[in-house]
Amino acid sequence: MDPVTILMLVAMFAMLYFFMIRPENKRKKEAQNLRDSLKVGDVITTIGGIVGTICKVDENTIVIETSADRVRVEFTKWAVSSKNVAPEQNA
């Protein structure tokens, strides 16, 4: 193989790493940090779109209250999509 071909292959692998692999690893790390930082009282959204307030946190699961009826549902932590700001309660 000539040096130009080898240089092109190295450049393609470098582009693959910086445009695909590295950003995906960064997203995974951010998602894991989010799931590790969950605590009671946080308002979260699951990957299924369910919004609720965390009322119990275990090692691999969380329990959330989903409405004013105090319905409690248990989810695994990997099902958490995002952490939201708690809405203000009207007195």
Side-chain angles (χ1 to χ4, degrees):
M1 292 182 113
D2 62 8
V4 175
T5 305
I6 294 172
L7 184 63
M8 291 294 283
L9 285 172
V10 169
M12 283 188 348
F13 283 115
M15 287 176 45
L16 177 73
Y17 175 77
F18 282 108
F19 289 117
M20 293 180 71
I21 297 170
R22 188 168 178 246
E24 181 63 26
N25 288 341
K26 187 176 179 182
R27 278 191 293 272
K28 284 181 183 178
K29 187 175 182 180
E30 289 172 356
Q32 187 61 43
N33 288 339
L34 168 77
R35 292 172 184 139
D36 290 341
S37 71
L38 295 174
K39 61 187 182 300
V40 174
D42 288 345
V43 177
I44 57 110
T45 303
T46 67
I47 56 175
I50 298 172
V51 178
T53 304
I54 297 176
C55 58
K56 182 180 175 187
V57 178
D58 290 329
E59 184 178 339
N60 294 319
T61 62
I62 59 170
V63 177
I64 65 171
E65 288 184 354
T66 59
S67 66
D69 295 336
R70 300 182 60 106
V71 175
R72 291 186 178 201
V73 183
E74 184 174 9
F75 290 97
T76 57
K77 282 187 176 180
W78 65 262
V80 176
S81 171
S82 63
K83 188 169 23 173
N84 307 328
V85 177
E88 293 183 20
Q89 297 290 330
N90 293 334

